[in-house]
Amino acid sequence: MTEMTYREAIRSTLVEEMDRDPTVLLLGEDIGVYGGTFRITEGLLSRYGPRRVVDTPISELGFIGAAIGMAMLGLRPVVEVMTWNFSLPAADQILQNAAKVRYFTGGQVRAPLVIRGPNGAGVQLSAQHSQSFESFYGHFPGLKVVAPATPADAKGLLRAAIRGEDPVIFLEHAALYGIKGEVPDGDYTVPFGKAAVVRSGHHVTVVSYSRMLHLALSAAHRLSGEGIECEVIDLRSLRPLDMETVAASVRRTHRAVVVQEQWRLYGAAAEISAQIYERCFDDLDAPVERVTGEDVPAPYARNLELLAFPGEEKIIEAVRRVIA
Amino acid sequence: MERVEERVAVERMLDWYRRMVLVRRFEEQTERSFRRGKIGGYLHVYIGQEAVATGFLDAIREDDIFFASYRDHAHALLRGTDPRAVMAELYGKATGVAKGKGGSMHLVDVARGFYGGYGIVGGHLPLAVGAAYALRYQGTDRICLCFFGDGAVNSGAFHEAANLAGLWGKEGMCPVVFVIENNQYGMGTSVERASAVPNLARRFDAYAIPNERCDGMDVLAVYEVARRVVEEVRRTGRPYGVEAVTYRFSGHGAADLFQSYRTKEEVERWRQRDPILLLERRLRERGALDDARKAEIHAWAEGLVEEAVAFAEQSPDPPPEELYTDVYGADP
Ligand SMILES: Cc1ncc(C[n+]2csc(CCOP(=O)(O)OP(=O)(O)O)c2C)c(N)n1
């Protein structure tokens, strides 16, 4: 075990995988000379040279499409999007090519690449720079969508993503880059589709992922002081989605709260709640609660922004409602 | 043109003729099959444009690769993909090139370097640029062809792909040949009505990509350019753009019956320069083709097409289990 930040976990995994496999290369805006907007790729240009650490123009459609083409020819590109907000010009490439080429060619062409970068709500970044894409990309078969909440998972999931056979949407969270945690040493992977029970409890199951996990955990800590024990689950990957672990927990606790940062309508929490009803209807002692962002573009003003995204308080209130 | 003709052996020209006739007969059959409801979805044929893919695909090596748009039947057939498997794909059968999961717009044959037909206008251009980079990254001298229509030139994907290609080409890292199949129309919109600069080859000037136009109705002219360009791209690792000026005789798709956007006279005028007719004239002048030989070749092509249809008709539908295969690969 080594203690490191989420950022360091991502960087060291990139280094280990690039050392191990010469077909792994990086592309993105300002990842080389500049060192990466979030300094993930700092130092990698001098280590691997400009053919493996490719600074691209501001041309998401072009370079993400090109990375897909590289993957088709046997390379394993890891693309950094400056933030997932800027993946939209390339959505055509990701959704129409990467997600589907294996299927419509009957398995003849594959596109194993990783697209990674910060996702989620920021600090007063307002409408165009503060949103989450897990439901958007998670909707499309052919893609895998992961959202690590801890440094250990950032490492394990990224390694699995790079070594896998599929296009992976790797959603980091800008607010998590600085968090520290113990990371297992060596050749460590976290398989997709295996949720983690991060805290056990018997009163209610709180399902979350990415940054919301940390809010759920501190809410659980506070509720524990009142004698309410939350079981907190980190989904880790949104597609594939490990509903087995969630359902098993709900069958023990009989109550569920699903927490997500993004918008409510058609969001991941809607899917997860529906599946809880499908699988555990007879086990439930209360309706499933959803804690989500408000259905508005992210506002700039600090007070409005605080209202727009879920905080610890909203999770505590939701838990109290399902317990009542 | 005489000079070029002398360099191209008559056997090679006869071979082009055979292939072009096969492609033509095959596609005429697909139009009939579409009308009979045997082929579903969209069906975009290449009739009139055959010289372009014929010339280019004959100028590349066996280990080179290529991408195409949804107008892709000719590309597969010309590269030697079994016509039976192509027809079976159009019929949505398990024996098709993509097990019936791709259809007309997504033909593919990776074993022959064909990385697929794509259904979104311009969407495959960036893929070809990345593929070309990969070929150099892997230390080979293989090259990549990318075929697309005149309409695609106005998409953002064209400009982003061209810019990256020009940029990476400076380092010798982008051996891609962009082949504009300028058939004069994007659906019902003529090049003049869609392009601020209708000389499409010149678009490449903006990205420092050498370019030229060629007569896309004359397979000799196409081949001559293709051979030179492909070898230059192979040597330099830099991209090149070719605009092949051609024409489609059929509708945009099989459902485009009335073609009110163009006149019969215009189509007729272009038909005078039918690429198969032009080549036939050449071969006759050289005494390499007479009526008997011609009949033999057409009968051979018709035979292959009949065989392909019979194969497709008799092939089984994909089994229901195929619904869920090829979505994901193996877990790491
Ligand atoms: C992005 C996108 N917009 C629209 C369409 C619908 N569409 C299919 S083919 C076509 C015309 C394309 O013309 P061109 O690129 O010249 O190719 P051609 O059909 O002439 O070979 C259009 C508009 C599409 N497939 N993709």
Side-chain angles (χ1 to χ4, degrees), chain A residues 22 51-52 59 61-62 65-66 69-70 73 93 97 102-104 106 108 142-144 166 239, chain B residues 97-99 101-102 106 110 123 126-127 130 133 137-138 160 164 171 323 325-326 328-329 331:
Chain A
R51 285 196 183 177
R52 286 190 82 185
S59 183
L61 185 169
M70 292 174 186
L73 267 289
Q93 293 298 321
N97 289 330
R102 178 187 284 268
Y103 198 78
F104 67 57
Q108 284 194 51
L143 298 178
K144 288 183 172 173
D166 301 303
R239 185 187 263 277
Chain B
V97 290
K99 301 187 268 186
K101 290 159 94 165
H106 300 301
V110 166
L127 303 180
Y133 189 96
Y137 186 91
Q138 289 157 340
E160 298 203 21
L164 283 179
E171 312 295 325
L323 181 62
T325 62
D326 305 317
Y328 294 105
D331 284 328

mmCIF file of all heavy atoms in Angstrom, chain A residues 22 51-52 59 61-62 65-66 69-70 73 93 97 102-104 106 108 142-144 166 239, chain B residues 97-99 101-102 106 110 123 126-127 130 133 137-138 160 164 171 323 325-326 328-329 331:
data_model
loop_
_atom_site.group_PDB
_atom_site.id
_atom_site.type_symbol
_atom_site.label_atom_id
_atom_site.label_comp_id
_atom_site.label_asym_id
_atom_site.label_seq_id
_atom_site.Cartn_x
_atom_site.Cartn_y
_atom_site.Cartn_z
ATOM 1 N N PRO A 22 4.064 -0.761 -25.315
ATOM 2 C CA PRO A 22 4.393 0.350 -26.231
ATOM 3 C C PRO A 22 3.223 0.779 -27.117
ATOM 4 O O PRO A 22 3.301 1.817 -27.773
ATOM 5 C CB PRO A 22 5.527 -0.223 -27.090
ATOM 6 C CG PRO A 22 5.436 -1.698 -26.951
ATOM 7 C CD PRO A 22 4.817 -1.987 -25.604
ATOM 8 N N ARG A 51 5.650 11.472 -29.995
ATOM 9 C CA ARG A 51 4.817 10.508 -30.725
ATOM 10 C C ARG A 51 3.903 9.723 -29.796
ATOM 11 O O ARG A 51 2.918 9.140 -30.233
ATOM 12 C CB ARG A 51 5.694 9.518 -31.496
ATOM 13 C CG ARG A 51 6.266 10.185 -32.702
ATOM 14 C CD ARG A 51 6.810 9.247 -33.705
ATOM 15 N NE ARG A 51 7.370 10.077 -34.761
ATOM 16 C CZ ARG A 51 7.997 9.625 -35.813
ATOM 17 N NH1 ARG A 51 8.157 8.325 -35.954
ATOM 18 N NH2 ARG A 51 8.452 10.443 -36.719
ATOM 19 N N ARG A 52 4.279 9.663 -28.516
ATOM 20 C CA ARG A 52 3.451 8.915 -27.551
ATOM 21 C C ARG A 52 2.659 9.829 -26.632
ATOM 22 O O ARG A 52 1.722 9.387 -25.980
ATOM 23 C CB ARG A 52 4.327 7.994 -26.704
ATOM 24 C CG ARG A 52 4.798 6.795 -27.452
ATOM 25 C CD ARG A 52 5.456 5.803 -26.517
ATOM 26 N NE ARG A 52 4.467 4.973 -25.836
ATOM 27 C CZ ARG A 52 4.775 4.101 -24.890
ATOM 28 N NH1 ARG A 52 6.040 3.978 -24.490
ATOM 29 N NH2 ARG A 52 3.829 3.358 -24.333
ATOM 30 N N SER A 59 -9.656 20.376 -31.038
ATOM 31 C CA SER A 59 -10.272 19.705 -32.179
ATOM 32 C C SER A 59 -10.805 18.352 -31.723
ATOM 33 O O SER A 59 -10.366 17.308 -32.176
ATOM 34 C CB SER A 59 -9.175 19.541 -33.245
ATOM 35 O OG SER A 59 -9.647 18.982 -34.412
ATOM 36 N N LEU A 61 -13.506 16.573 -32.012
ATOM 37 C CA LEU A 61 -14.041 15.632 -32.997
ATOM 38 C C LEU A 61 -12.885 14.955 -33.738
ATOM 39 O O LEU A 61 -12.860 13.748 -33.900
ATOM 40 C CB LEU A 61 -14.947 16.392 -33.971
ATOM 41 C CG LEU A 61 -15.745 15.661 -35.036
ATOM 42 C CD1 LEU A 61 -16.731 16.630 -35.655
ATOM 43 C CD2 LEU A 61 -14.893 15.043 -36.102
ATOM 44 N N GLY A 62 -11.929 15.762 -34.125
ATOM 45 C CA GLY A 62 -10.804 15.246 -34.905
ATOM 46 C C GLY A 62 -9.940 14.283 -34.114
ATOM 47 O O GLY A 62 -9.704 13.157 -34.531
ATOM 48 N N GLY A 65 -11.823 11.165 -32.763
ATOM 49 C CA GLY A 65 -12.051 10.286 -33.915
ATOM 50 C C GLY A 65 -10.764 9.600 -34.338
ATOM 51 O O GLY A 65 -10.739 8.396 -34.607
ATOM 52 N N ALA A 66 -9.674 10.352 -34.373
ATOM 53 C CA ALA A 66 -8.383 9.766 -34.768
ATOM 54 C C ALA A 66 -7.961 8.690 -33.767
ATOM 55 O O ALA A 66 -7.431 7.640 -34.152
ATOM 56 C CB ALA A 66 -7.319 10.850 -34.885
ATOM 57 N N GLY A 69 -9.667 5.613 -34.565
ATOM 58 C CA GLY A 69 -9.002 4.972 -35.711
ATOM 59 C C GLY A 69 -7.712 4.271 -35.297
ATOM 60 O O GLY A 69 -7.397 3.181 -35.780
ATOM 61 N N MET A 70 -6.956 4.882 -34.400
ATOM 62 C CA MET A 70 -5.735 4.232 -33.892
ATOM 63 C C MET A 70 -6.087 2.914 -33.201
ATOM 64 O O MET A 70 -5.414 1.898 -33.387
ATOM 65 C CB MET A 70 -5.022 5.152 -32.893
ATOM 66 C CG MET A 70 -4.432 6.401 -33.501
ATOM 67 S SD MET A 70 -3.765 7.479 -32.205
ATOM 68 C CE MET A 70 -3.340 8.913 -33.204
ATOM 69 N N LEU A 73 -6.669 0.029 -35.368
ATOM 70 C CA LEU A 73 -5.458 -0.551 -35.966
ATOM 71 C C LEU A 73 -4.555 -1.185 -34.914
ATOM 72 O O LEU A 73 -3.398 -1.483 -35.195
ATOM 73 C CB LEU A 73 -4.712 0.520 -36.753
ATOM 74 C CG LEU A 73 -5.036 0.622 -38.246
ATOM 75 C CD1 LEU A 73 -4.457 -0.589 -38.996
ATOM 76 C CD2 LEU A 73 -6.532 0.696 -38.514
ATOM 77 N N GLN A 93 -18.354 10.967 -32.809
ATOM 78 C CA GLN A 93 -17.305 9.945 -32.909
ATOM 79 C C GLN A 93 -17.466 8.881 -31.827
ATOM 80 O O GLN A 93 -17.317 7.683 -32.069
ATOM 81 C CB GLN A 93 -15.919 10.601 -32.794
ATOM 82 C CG GLN A 93 -15.587 11.508 -33.964
ATOM 83 C CD GLN A 93 -15.546 10.759 -35.273
ATOM 84 O OE1 GLN A 93 -15.078 9.633 -35.340
ATOM 85 N NE2 GLN A 93 -16.057 11.367 -36.322
ATOM 86 N N ASN A 97 -19.256 5.920 -33.676
ATOM 87 C CA ASN A 97 -18.167 5.049 -34.121
ATOM 88 C C ASN A 97 -17.662 4.136 -33.006
ATOM 89 O O ASN A 97 -17.760 2.921 -33.095
ATOM 90 C CB ASN A 97 -17.021 5.866 -34.707
ATOM 91 C CG ASN A 97 -17.375 6.491 -36.051
ATOM 92 O OD1 ASN A 97 -18.177 5.934 -36.795
ATOM 93 N ND2 ASN A 97 -16.808 7.628 -36.370
ATOM 94 N N ARG A 102 -17.772 -2.311 -33.379
ATOM 95 C CA ARG A 102 -17.632 -3.751 -33.163
ATOM 96 C C ARG A 102 -18.920 -4.470 -33.611
ATOM 97 O O ARG A 102 -18.871 -5.501 -34.265
ATOM 98 C CB ARG A 102 -17.357 -4.048 -31.692
ATOM 99 C CG ARG A 102 -17.237 -5.529 -31.387
ATOM 100 C CD ARG A 102 -17.126 -5.763 -29.897
ATOM 101 N NE ARG A 102 -15.833 -5.444 -29.363
ATOM 102 C CZ ARG A 102 -14.834 -6.327 -29.233
ATOM 103 N NH1 ARG A 102 -14.993 -7.578 -29.596
ATOM 104 N NH2 ARG A 102 -13.685 -5.955 -28.726
ATOM 105 N N TYR A 103 -20.033 -3.870 -33.264
ATOM 106 C CA TYR A 103 -21.319 -4.526 -33.556
ATOM 107 C C TYR A 103 -21.617 -4.544 -35.049
ATOM 108 O O TYR A 103 -21.881 -5.585 -35.627
ATOM 109 C CB TYR A 103 -22.429 -3.804 -32.803
ATOM 110 C CG TYR A 103 -23.694 -4.627 -32.684
ATOM 111 C CD1 TYR A 103 -23.786 -5.656 -31.748
ATOM 112 C CD2 TYR A 103 -24.796 -4.381 -33.494
ATOM 113 C CE1 TYR A 103 -24.939 -6.413 -31.617
ATOM 114 C CE2 TYR A 103 -25.953 -5.129 -33.370
ATOM 115 C CZ TYR A 103 -26.026 -6.149 -32.435
ATOM 116 O OH TYR A 103 -27.170 -6.895 -32.318
ATOM 117 N N PHE A 104 -21.544 -3.358 -35.676
ATOM 118 C CA PHE A 104 -21.996 -3.342 -37.071
ATOM 119 C C PHE A 104 -21.001 -3.974 -38.037
ATOM 120 O O PHE A 104 -21.327 -4.207 -39.197
ATOM 121 C CB PHE A 104 -22.508 -1.966 -37.516
ATOM 122 C CG PHE A 104 -21.538 -0.827 -37.623
ATOM 123 C CD1 PHE A 104 -20.418 -0.885 -38.423
ATOM 124 C CD2 PHE A 104 -21.800 0.361 -36.949
ATOM 125 C CE1 PHE A 104 -19.561 0.199 -38.553
ATOM 126 C CE2 PHE A 104 -20.938 1.454 -37.063
ATOM 127 C CZ PHE A 104 -19.818 1.363 -37.864
ATOM 128 N N GLY A 106 -19.802 -6.903 -37.189
ATOM 129 C CA GLY A 106 -19.863 -8.308 -36.781
ATOM 130 C C GLY A 106 -18.612 -8.747 -36.039
ATOM 131 O O GLY A 106 -18.195 -9.895 -36.154
ATOM 132 N N GLN A 108 -15.536 -7.588 -36.483
ATOM 133 C CA GLN A 108 -14.266 -7.490 -37.232
ATOM 134 C C GLN A 108 -13.408 -6.300 -36.835
ATOM 135 O O GLN A 108 -12.188 -6.352 -36.936
ATOM 136 C CB GLN A 108 -14.545 -7.396 -38.733
ATOM 137 C CG GLN A 108 -14.931 -8.708 -39.349
ATOM 138 C CD GLN A 108 -14.848 -8.621 -40.859
ATOM 139 O OE1 GLN A 108 -13.846 -8.206 -41.432
ATOM 140 N NE2 GLN A 108 -15.910 -9.002 -41.520
ATOM 141 N N GLY A 142 -22.188 -0.645 -25.913
ATOM 142 C CA GLY A 142 -20.911 -0.638 -26.619
ATOM 143 C C GLY A 142 -19.875 0.174 -25.881
ATOM 144 O O GLY A 142 -18.676 -0.045 -26.034
ATOM 145 N N LEU A 143 -20.333 1.141 -25.079
ATOM 146 C CA LEU A 143 -19.405 1.898 -24.243
ATOM 147 C C LEU A 143 -19.397 1.295 -22.844
ATOM 148 O O LEU A 143 -20.397 0.726 -22.402
ATOM 149 C CB LEU A 143 -19.845 3.366 -24.129
ATOM 150 C CG LEU A 143 -19.904 4.172 -25.415
ATOM 151 C CD1 LEU A 143 -20.412 5.583 -25.124
ATOM 152 C CD2 LEU A 143 -18.529 4.225 -26.085
ATOM 153 N N LYS A 144 -18.278 1.448 -22.149
ATOM 154 C CA LYS A 144 -18.244 1.181 -20.713
ATOM 155 C C LYS A 144 -18.033 2.516 -20.019
ATOM 156 O O LYS A 144 -17.305 3.370 -20.525
ATOM 157 C CB LYS A 144 -17.140 0.184 -20.387
ATOM 158 C CG LYS A 144 -17.507 -1.227 -20.862
ATOM 159 C CD LYS A 144 -16.480 -2.255 -20.491
ATOM 160 C CE LYS A 144 -17.007 -3.652 -20.825
ATOM 161 N NZ LYS A 144 -15.952 -4.670 -20.627
ATOM 162 N N ASP A 166 -12.619 -2.707 -24.925
ATOM 163 C CA ASP A 166 -13.749 -1.852 -25.292
ATOM 164 C C ASP A 166 -13.434 -0.376 -25.088
ATOM 165 O O ASP A 166 -12.539 -0.028 -24.329
ATOM 166 C CB ASP A 166 -14.956 -2.222 -24.416
ATOM 167 C CG ASP A 166 -15.346 -3.668 -24.598
ATOM 168 O OD1 ASP A 166 -15.628 -4.043 -25.752
ATOM 169 O OD2 ASP A 166 -15.343 -4.420 -23.609
ATOM 170 N N ARG A 239 -21.805 1.493 -16.299
ATOM 171 C CA ARG A 239 -22.079 0.516 -17.360
ATOM 172 C C ARG A 239 -20.802 -0.286 -17.541
ATOM 173 O O ARG A 239 -19.818 0.299 -17.987
ATOM 174 C CB ARG A 239 -22.455 1.212 -18.668
ATOM 175 C CG ARG A 239 -22.854 0.218 -19.752
ATOM 176 C CD ARG A 239 -23.045 0.907 -21.068
ATOM 177 N NE ARG A 239 -24.425 1.238 -21.379
ATOM 178 C CZ ARG A 239 -25.306 0.380 -21.910
ATOM 179 N NH1 ARG A 239 -24.954 -0.841 -22.183
ATOM 180 N NH2 ARG A 239 -26.525 0.763 -22.188
ATOM 181 N N VAL B 97 -20.910 -10.403 -44.595
ATOM 182 C CA VAL B 97 -19.575 -10.025 -44.119
ATOM 183 C C VAL B 97 -19.587 -9.601 -42.649
ATOM 184 O O VAL B 97 -18.600 -9.763 -41.941
ATOM 185 C CB VAL B 97 -18.932 -8.901 -44.967
ATOM 186 C CG1 VAL B 97 -18.558 -9.412 -46.353
ATOM 187 C CG2 VAL B 97 -19.841 -7.676 -45.075
ATOM 188 N N ALA B 98 -20.701 -9.041 -42.197
ATOM 189 C CA ALA B 98 -20.789 -8.636 -40.790
ATOM 190 C C ALA B 98 -21.885 -9.439 -40.093
ATOM 191 O O ALA B 98 -22.540 -8.944 -39.178
ATOM 192 C CB ALA B 98 -21.037 -7.131 -40.671
ATOM 193 N N LYS B 99 -22.081 -10.660 -40.529
ATOM 194 C CA LYS B 99 -23.093 -11.553 -39.952
ATOM 195 C C LYS B 99 -24.502 -10.961 -40.010
ATOM 196 O O LYS B 99 -25.334 -11.214 -39.165
ATOM 197 C CB LYS B 99 -22.732 -11.886 -38.495
ATOM 198 C CG LYS B 99 -21.371 -12.561 -38.361
ATOM 199 C CD LYS B 99 -21.117 -13.040 -36.942
ATOM 200 C CE LYS B 99 -20.400 -12.006 -36.126
ATOM 201 N NZ LYS B 99 -20.008 -12.461 -34.791
ATOM 202 N N LYS B 101 -25.255 -7.887 -39.464
ATOM 203 C CA LYS B 101 -25.472 -6.849 -38.453
ATOM 204 C C LYS B 101 -25.126 -5.451 -38.934
ATOM 205 O O LYS B 101 -25.351 -4.466 -38.225
ATOM 206 C CB LYS B 101 -24.672 -7.186 -37.198
ATOM 207 C CG LYS B 101 -25.269 -8.390 -36.486
ATOM 208 C CD LYS B 101 -24.282 -9.066 -35.582
ATOM 209 C CE LYS B 101 -24.405 -8.563 -34.182
ATOM 210 N NZ LYS B 101 -23.707 -9.472 -33.230
ATOM 211 N N GLY B 102 -24.548 -5.350 -40.130
ATOM 212 C CA GLY B 102 -24.154 -4.037 -40.627
ATOM 213 C C GLY B 102 -24.999 -3.561 -41.796
ATOM 214 O O GLY B 102 -25.421 -2.423 -41.852
ATOM 215 N N HIS B 106 -22.485 -0.661 -43.948
ATOM 216 C CA HIS B 106 -21.353 -1.033 -43.094
ATOM 217 C C HIS B 106 -20.653 -2.292 -43.595
ATOM 218 O O HIS B 106 -20.389 -3.212 -42.814
ATOM 219 C CB HIS B 106 -21.822 -1.248 -41.658
ATOM 220 C CG HIS B 106 -22.460 -0.045 -41.036
ATOM 221 N ND1 HIS B 106 -21.804 1.166 -40.898
ATOM 222 C CD2 HIS B 106 -23.689 0.141 -40.512
ATOM 223 C CE1 HIS B 106 -22.617 2.027 -40.305
ATOM 224 N NE2 HIS B 106 -23.773 1.441 -40.070
ATOM 225 N N VAL B 110 -11.808 -6.856 -42.860
ATOM 226 C CA VAL B 110 -10.531 -6.468 -42.264
ATOM 227 C C VAL B 110 -9.383 -7.304 -42.822
ATOM 228 O O VAL B 110 -8.276 -6.806 -43.005
ATOM 229 C CB VAL B 110 -10.614 -6.544 -40.719
ATOM 230 C CG1 VAL B 110 -9.235 -6.488 -40.090
ATOM 231 C CG2 VAL B 110 -11.464 -5.380 -40.195
ATOM 232 N N GLY B 123 -18.085 11.277 -41.000
ATOM 233 C CA GLY B 123 -17.722 10.721 -39.697
ATOM 234 C C GLY B 123 -16.518 9.800 -39.703
ATOM 235 O O GLY B 123 -15.870 9.621 -38.669
ATOM 236 N N PRO B 126 -11.902 11.258 -39.561
ATOM 237 C CA PRO B 126 -10.944 11.220 -38.451
ATOM 238 C C PRO B 126 -10.425 9.809 -38.160
ATOM 239 O O PRO B 126 -9.256 9.648 -37.777
ATOM 240 C CB PRO B 126 -11.757 11.748 -37.260
ATOM 241 C CG PRO B 126 -12.846 12.559 -37.870
ATOM 242 C CD PRO B 126 -13.186 11.867 -39.156
ATOM 243 N N LEU B 127 -11.263 8.810 -38.361
ATOM 244 C CA LEU B 127 -10.812 7.434 -38.122
ATOM 245 C C LEU B 127 -9.639 7.104 -39.044
ATOM 246 O O LEU B 127 -8.641 6.509 -38.623
ATOM 247 C CB LEU B 127 -11.944 6.428 -38.387
ATOM 248 C CG LEU B 127 -13.249 6.586 -37.609
ATOM 249 C CD1 LEU B 127 -14.246 5.485 -38.006
ATOM 250 C CD2 LEU B 127 -13.010 6.554 -36.110
ATOM 251 N N GLY B 130 -6.415 8.688 -37.855
ATOM 252 C CA GLY B 130 -5.844 7.949 -36.726
ATOM 253 C C GLY B 130 -5.261 6.617 -37.171
ATOM 254 O O GLY B 130 -4.187 6.207 -36.718
ATOM 255 N N TYR B 133 -1.948 7.237 -38.717
ATOM 256 C CA TYR B 133 -0.949 7.482 -37.664
ATOM 257 C C TYR B 133 -0.477 6.146 -37.077
ATOM 258 O O TYR B 133 0.721 5.916 -36.891
ATOM 259 C CB TYR B 133 -1.565 8.356 -36.571
ATOM 260 C CG TYR B 133 -0.585 8.862 -35.524
ATOM 261 C CD1 TYR B 133 -0.024 10.129 -35.637
ATOM 262 C CD2 TYR B 133 -0.240 8.077 -34.423
ATOM 263 C CE1 TYR B 133 0.869 10.606 -34.680
ATOM 264 C CE2 TYR B 133 0.652 8.539 -33.465
ATOM 265 C CZ TYR B 133 1.192 9.810 -33.594
ATOM 266 O OH TYR B 133 2.081 10.271 -32.648
ATOM 267 N N TYR B 137 3.180 4.649 -36.581
ATOM 268 C CA TYR B 137 3.584 4.406 -35.194
ATOM 269 C C TYR B 137 4.121 2.983 -35.058
ATOM 270 O O TYR B 137 5.067 2.720 -34.327
ATOM 271 C CB TYR B 137 2.377 4.616 -34.284
ATOM 272 C CG TYR B 137 2.663 4.546 -32.800
ATOM 273 C CD1 TYR B 137 2.988 5.688 -32.065
ATOM 274 C CD2 TYR B 137 2.581 3.329 -32.110
ATOM 275 C CE1 TYR B 137 3.230 5.627 -30.706
ATOM 276 C CE2 TYR B 137 2.832 3.261 -30.754
ATOM 277 C CZ TYR B 137 3.159 4.414 -30.050
ATOM 278 O OH TYR B 137 3.400 4.334 -28.704
ATOM 279 N N GLN B 138 3.504 2.082 -35.797
ATOM 280 C CA GLN B 138 3.929 0.678 -35.747
ATOM 281 C C GLN B 138 5.143 0.408 -36.637
ATOM 282 O O GLN B 138 5.572 -0.735 -36.760
ATOM 283 C CB GLN B 138 2.747 -0.220 -36.154
ATOM 284 C CG GLN B 138 1.652 -0.255 -35.102
ATOM 285 C CD GLN B 138 0.284 -0.649 -35.643
ATOM 286 O OE1 GLN B 138 0.030 -0.549 -36.838
ATOM 287 N NE2 GLN B 138 -0.603 -1.072 -34.755
ATOM 288 N N GLU B 160 -11.417 19.072 -39.481
ATOM 289 C CA GLU B 160 -10.602 18.638 -38.340
ATOM 290 C C GLU B 160 -9.670 17.505 -38.750
ATOM 291 O O GLU B 160 -8.507 17.459 -38.354
ATOM 292 C CB GLU B 160 -11.513 18.221 -37.180
ATOM 293 C CG GLU B 160 -12.361 19.390 -36.703
ATOM 294 C CD GLU B 160 -12.863 19.250 -35.274
ATOM 295 O OE1 GLU B 160 -12.297 18.486 -34.483
ATOM 296 O OE2 GLU B 160 -13.860 19.940 -34.953
ATOM 297 N N LEU B 164 -5.513 17.784 -38.761
ATOM 298 C CA LEU B 164 -4.662 16.826 -38.034
ATOM 299 C C LEU B 164 -3.725 16.109 -39.007
ATOM 300 O O LEU B 164 -2.547 15.898 -38.709
ATOM 301 C CB LEU B 164 -5.519 15.784 -37.317
ATOM 302 C CG LEU B 164 -6.210 16.226 -36.035
ATOM 303 C CD1 LEU B 164 -7.040 15.068 -35.474
ATOM 304 C CD2 LEU B 164 -5.202 16.700 -34.996
ATOM 305 N N GLU B 171 5.472 15.468 -39.594
ATOM 306 C CA GLU B 171 6.408 14.543 -38.954
ATOM 307 C C GLU B 171 6.458 13.209 -39.693
ATOM 308 O O GLU B 171 7.009 12.225 -39.180
ATOM 309 C CB GLU B 171 5.988 14.279 -37.501
ATOM 310 C CG GLU B 171 5.656 15.515 -36.685
ATOM 311 C CD GLU B 171 6.870 16.404 -36.472
ATOM 312 O OE1 GLU B 171 7.979 15.845 -36.323
ATOM 313 O OE2 GLU B 171 6.707 17.633 -36.482
ATOM 314 N N LEU B 323 -27.947 -11.346 -31.448
ATOM 315 C CA LEU B 323 -28.383 -10.019 -31.008
ATOM 316 C C LEU B 323 -27.411 -9.438 -29.987
ATOM 317 O O LEU B 323 -27.089 -8.260 -30.022
ATOM 318 C CB LEU B 323 -29.789 -10.127 -30.409
ATOM 319 C CG LEU B 323 -30.407 -8.815 -29.924
ATOM 320 C CD1 LEU B 323 -30.583 -7.824 -31.073
ATOM 321 C CD2 LEU B 323 -31.746 -9.096 -29.245
ATOM 322 N N THR B 325 -24.203 -10.548 -29.265
ATOM 323 C CA THR B 325 -22.753 -10.697 -29.445
ATOM 324 C C THR B 325 -22.178 -9.441 -30.095
ATOM 325 O O THR B 325 -22.902 -8.653 -30.699
ATOM 326 C CB THR B 325 -22.397 -11.906 -30.337
ATOM 327 O OG1 THR B 325 -22.965 -11.679 -31.629
ATOM 328 C CG2 THR B 325 -22.939 -13.204 -29.756
ATOM 329 N N ASP B 326 -20.878 -9.257 -29.954
ATOM 330 C CA ASP B 326 -20.138 -8.149 -30.581
ATOM 331 C C ASP B 326 -20.494 -6.774 -30.005
ATOM 332 O O ASP B 326 -20.203 -5.750 -30.633
ATOM 333 C CB ASP B 326 -20.338 -8.113 -32.109
ATOM 334 C CG ASP B 326 -19.974 -9.439 -32.760
ATOM 335 O OD1 ASP B 326 -18.936 -9.996 -32.366
ATOM 336 O OD2 ASP B 326 -20.715 -9.904 -33.634
ATOM 337 N N TYR B 328 -19.559 -6.085 -26.701
ATOM 338 C CA TYR B 328 -18.330 -5.881 -25.922
ATOM 339 C C TYR B 328 -17.359 -7.013 -26.210
ATOM 340 O O TYR B 328 -17.742 -8.092 -26.642
ATOM 341 C CB TYR B 328 -18.638 -5.872 -24.412
ATOM 342 C CG TYR B 328 -19.485 -4.695 -23.986
ATOM 343 C CD1 TYR B 328 -20.835 -4.858 -23.688
ATOM 344 C CD2 TYR B 328 -18.937 -3.416 -23.906
ATOM 345 C CE1 TYR B 328 -21.618 -3.774 -23.316
ATOM 346 C CE2 TYR B 328 -19.717 -2.330 -23.530
ATOM 347 C CZ TYR B 328 -21.052 -2.509 -23.236
ATOM 348 O OH TYR B 328 -21.823 -1.441 -22.878
ATOM 349 N N GLY B 329 -16.080 -6.743 -25.907
ATOM 350 C CA GLY B 329 -15.072 -7.780 -25.997
ATOM 351 C C GLY B 329 -14.950 -8.512 -24.671
ATOM 352 O O GLY B 329 -15.765 -8.323 -23.767
ATOM 353 N N ASP B 331 -13.571 -9.471 -21.003
ATOM 354 C CA ASP B 331 -13.149 -8.656 -19.863
ATOM 355 C C ASP B 331 -11.635 -8.734 -19.701
ATOM 356 O O ASP B 331 -11.049 -9.755 -20.008
ATOM 357 C CB ASP B 331 -13.824 -9.154 -18.581
ATOM 358 C CG ASP B 331 -15.276 -8.710 -18.527
ATOM 359 O OD1 ASP B 331 -15.578 -7.626 -19.060
ATOM 360 O OD2 ASP B 331 -16.104 -9.449 -17.965
#
